[in-house]
Amino acid sequence: MLYSGIPVSNVTTLEPSLQSTSDAIDAKDGRKFAKALGDLTEGCNGCHRSMKRSFVVMKVPSDPQPFANQQFAPQARP
């Protein structure tokens, strides 16, 4: 509702990364979790770029602050 026009295929392509993240959590495997979260983050950013929304940049959180998984600095223009 809030984000109309997002192709379902963009969201469903993240399913393997979401599953890998979930599996790593269940296994309590920090290395697998870090890789899965990195893959998921890149998948999110790839979708944002494809939708011409590259100003929305996700990142692996560096601290426990709210919204620490987003980058708000202005992006350089290509």
Side-chain angles (χ1 to χ4, degrees), residues 8-78:
V8 172
S9 62
N10 284 10
V11 178
T12 58
T13 59
L14 295 175
E15 186 176 348
S17 295
L18 288 167
Q19 187 63 55
S20 294
T21 303
S22 179
D23 292 346
I25 291 169
D26 290 344
K28 296 179 176 44
D29 188 322
R31 285 187 182 161
K32 286 183 181 178
F33 176 77
K35 177 167 181 355
L37 185 61
D39 292 346
L40 178 60
T41 301
E42 181 51 39
C44 291
N45 289 327
C47 179
H48 297 163
R49 287 188 296 272
S50 75
M51 295 294 298
K52 306 285 191 245
R53 305 285 191 283
S54 59
F55 56 88
V56 179
V57 179
M58 306 308 293
K59 66 176 191 152
V60 174
S62 56
D63 58 59
Q65 300 301 315
F67 304 109
N69 66 333
Q70 296 180 46
Q71 180 175 312
F72 295 103
Q75 300 296 302
R77 294 191 182 232

